[in-house]
Amino acid sequence: MATGNDLRRMALALEGTTEAPHFDRAAFKVARTYVTLAADGRSANFKFTPDEQEFKCMMAPDAFAPIANAWGRQGWTTATLARLGAAELKSALEMAWAHALPKKKPRR
């Protein structure tokens, strides 16, 4: 059973991650935000690709659900932290974090 403190600790351990306020949530980002943590620490919103979102929701429907708006159609996915183990949380964080890394400039 994961907690908001687990998410914060694991996210900040990922290279380049910083934490900043985001409305009533805490946002974790590198070049872009990849996860936000609810103020009560019970849920988090992850930025996945739509395919990753579909996979996570299919594999753990009790833990993951698309956000019910246009953000959800872009891959933003809500997770109930208490329904995730540490390994599942780490996997979700690493997946979302990879999308937030700075884009590499092509070599000439």
Side-chain angles (χ1 to χ4, degrees):
M1 178 166 91
T3 67
N5 288 334
D6 295 330
L7 182 140
R8 179 172 275 112
R9 178 180 44 76
M10 289 180 187
L12 291 173
L14 294 171
E15 185 177 348
T17 297
T18 60
E19 180 180 356
H22 182 74
F23 300 98
D24 63 335
R25 305 176 75 84
F28 299 86
K29 64 183 186 173
V30 184
R32 292 173 284 297
T33 298
Y34 64 92
V35 66
T36 63
L37 177 63
D40 65 8
R42 293 182 182 180
S43 66
N45 295 336
F46 291 85
K47 175 59 171 119
F48 298 135
T49 66
D51 287 343
E52 291 166 342
Q53 177 191 68
E54 182 180 3
F55 178 76
K56 290 285 190 190
C57 293
M58 179 183 68
M59 295 303 294
D62 59 325
F64 292 101
I67 293 176
N69 58 28
W71 291 105
R73 290 188 295 278
Q74 294 175 29
W76 281 97
T77 307
T78 296
T80 303
L81 297 177
R83 296 182 181 157
L84 295 176
E88 291 171 302
L89 175 58
K90 183 177 181 186
S91 171
L93 283 167
E94 289 174 347
M95 183 179 284
W97 171 79
H99 299 303
L101 296 173
K103 301 278 185 204
K104 293 183 179 178
K105 294 182 182 178
R107 293 186 176 178
R108 294 179 188 220

